[in-house]
Structure formats: C-alpha cells, structure tokens
Amino acid sequence: MRMILLGAPGAGKGTQCKRIVARYGLQHLSSGDILRSQRAAGTELGKKAGSFMDSGALVPDKIIVEMMISEIEKAPEAGFILDGFPRTVNQAIELDKSLAQCGQDIDIILNLQINDQIVAERMTGRRSCPKCGAVYHIKNLKPKVDGICDNDGTSLIQRPDDSLDVVTNRLKTYHQQTKPVEQCYGNNRAIYNIDANGSADEVSTLIFEQLDVLAKA
Ligand code: AP5
C-alpha cells in the first residue's frame, strides 16, 4: 500500500502515521523527521535545510524531492505512508513521475482537515523526545511524568519551529503552497477527507474506518 497523509502543520499527521504504521505495517516516511535527523547529524543537506525550517518556509523542492525519492526507493514491499511530502504541486508532479518510472502509483490519499486556531494550540503545546521521536502535548497527550519521555526517560524538548511566530508563518506557507496540492490530486484521484479537529483517538477511528472500507473494496 502506498499512501499519502496530507494536512496542515500540527494537524496530527505524525501522531496518526505512527498509529497507521502500527496497524498496517507500512514504512513511515516523514520529510520533517528526516530533515531533523540530517540536521542533528550535521550533514550538508541538514545545513542547507536549517534556515528554511527555522523560519517556517519550505525547503527548496530539488533538495526535498531527491531526499524523499531516495527514501521511497528503499521502502519495503508492504509499502509506505508519506507524511509532509509532497508539499508543493511541483513535488507532487515529481513524485508521480518517479513512481510511474517503476510502474507504481499512490493508492490512497487521506487529508486531515483542521481549523487554524486548533493548529496553533497543538503546535505551541507539542513536546518531542529527541531520542526516540515520540510526540506529546502539554495538555492533550501528556507523558506519565511531566517533561519526560515514557519510552526512554529522556527529557522532552520543544521544537524550535513551534514558537507562535514561526507557527504563524508555517500556516501561511501551508495555505499558499501546500493547499493547491489537494486540488492537483483531486483532479484525477480520490482524496478522503478526515475531520482532524477531534481527539487523537477520535481521528484514528475515522481514519481506520476509512482505510478498512478501502481495503475491502
Ligand atoms: P514537518 O516536521 O513536516 O512539520 P509539519 O508538517 O509542519 O507537521 P508537524 O510535524 O508540525 O505536525 P503534525 O501534523 O505531524 O502533528 P503532530 O502529530 O506532531 O516539517 C517541518 C519543516 O520542514 C517545514 O516547516 C519545512 O521547512 C520543512 N519541510 C518538511 N517537509 C517539507 C517538504 N515536503 N517540502 C519543503 N519543506 C519541507 O501533532 C502536533 C501536536 O498536537 C502534538 O503535540 C500532538 O501530541 C498533538 N495532537 C496530535 N493530534 C491531536 C489530536 N487529535 N488532538 C489533540 N492533540 C493532538
């Protein structure tokens, strides 16, 4: 199964992808997570991406497309779920071209729909584990011990791009450059919209109901 999870920053893509992966055994390919690990490792790619990420702008298409296509090529037979990619119409076109070269296509596109106000609250309250990548929220998804990862006891951090001013820029970037991707896909494929304003469990239920229907079709 080759799947894309679209949605605004903070819509819950990462949270839901982890649950989809646990249920369907796909590889989770998050462009944001890959970029952050490149930055942490101090690679050339990470250095090039850093200033764009910190300001809430998109990293140039050429860098992202090369990075993600190379990850997709390594994905297992079971398939993958793309999180944060494609994020521009040009990235979507390049992804289609690359898959078509191997006789492949995207099977399912889900779109998490959420209000901007809820996005701001989710992102400014997000805390992440720098070691295992687990994601929490100071109100909605608390760790058992405040500020500490349940999985490995590491101190949680706030992403530098989760400050209110950068979040505002990320939302602006999303509306200008990423929303058109929905229309681009909607022209020749089915996109399944999911109401992502509810709790993480409510959103998972909606996603699994939709995926189970599609799996039986
Ligand atoms: P990236 O890391 O992809 O960030 P994003 O898309 O902005 O998405 P987030 O990771 O912020 O949010 P999410 O939707 O995964 O939400 P989460 O599940 O964590 O990208 C970062 C940067 O990298 C970009 O700004 C750009 O510079 C660059 N980049 C990445 N991809 C690129 C591309 N393709 N092209 C160019 N540049 C690219 O949830 C958020 C919070 O809410 C958490 O605290 C969570 O616990 C909580 N939460 C989740 N769901 C719920 C719920 N239902 N109810 C209550 N709380 C919830």
Side-chain angles (χ1 to χ4, degrees):
M1 200 187 320
R2 291 176 286 270
M3 202 189 301
I4 297 176
L5 190 58
L6 296 173
K13 300 183 297 298
T15 302
Q16 297 302 330
C17 276
K18 289 187 176 81
R19 296 173 181 210
I20 293 170
V21 164
R23 187 166 160 128
Y24 296 96
L26 307 175
Q27 171 106 29
H28 180 195
L29 297 177
S30 156
S31 49
D33 286 351
I34 297 167
L35 288 169
R36 280 183 287 279
S37 66
Q38 293 281 339
R39 286 186 80 179
T43 65
E44 273 311 304
L45 194 160
K47 283 179 195 156
K48 279 185 199 156
S51 60
F52 296 101
M53 296 172 77
D54 290 344
S55 68
L58 294 184
V59 176
D61 284 347
K62 190 174 177 331
I63 297 177
I64 292 290
V65 168
E66 274 175 23
M67 178 185 92
M68 292 306 287
I69 300 293
S70 125
E71 294 295 326
I72 288 170
E73 283 169 358
K74 290 184 266 176
E77 274 290 297
F80 53 80
I81 177 161
L82 297 176
D83 164 4
F85 175 82
R87 225 171 171 111
T88 63
V89 169
N90 187 40
Q91 290 179 17
I93 292 169
E94 291 302 320
L95 171 64
D96 273 356
K97 274 195 219 160
S98 169
L99 289 174
Q101 278 168 8
C102 322
Q104 295 178 348
D105 199 357
I106 293 295
D107 302 307
I108 298 174
I109 304 173
L110 298 180
N111 183 33
L112 297 185
Q113 295 188 305
I114 189 165
N115 299 332
D116 284 4
Q117 207 182 334
I118 296 184
V119 161
E121 194 188 305
R122 284 193 190 170
M123 287 204 284
T124 51
R126 170 168 44 196
R127 298 293 180 271
S128 327
C129 174
K131 193 168 174 195
C132 74
V135 174
Y136 303 88
H137 188 277
I138 52 170
K139 288 188 197 148
N140 307 328
L141 286 168
K142 292 181 183 181
K144 289 183 189 120
V145 178
D146 225 17
I148 301 293
C149 179
D150 291 348
N151 300 334
D152 50 35
T154 304
S155 293
L156 301 178
I157 56 159
Q158 182 171 26
R159 269 173 46 178
D161 59 346
D162 277 347
S163 64
L164 192 55
D165 53 339
V166 181
V167 165
T168 306
N169 273 345
R170 287 165 66 193
L171 272 172
K172 201 166 144 197
T173 304
Y174 167 74
H175 286 291
Q176 286 173 347
Q177 297 185 61
T178 307
K179 276 297 269 182
V181 174
E182 285 171 35
Q183 200 183 339
C184 167
Y185 278 134
N187 290 338
N188 53 12
R189 289 183 175 88
I191 297 189
Y192 299 95
N193 291 319
I194 304 286
D195 180 353
N197 293 295
S199 72
D201 287 347
E202 284 165 352
V203 178
S204 300
T205 301
L206 294 174
I207 289 176
F208 293 153
E209 278 172 5
Q210 184 65 71
L211 290 179
D212 289 346
V213 168
L214 290 170
K216 282 186 204 141

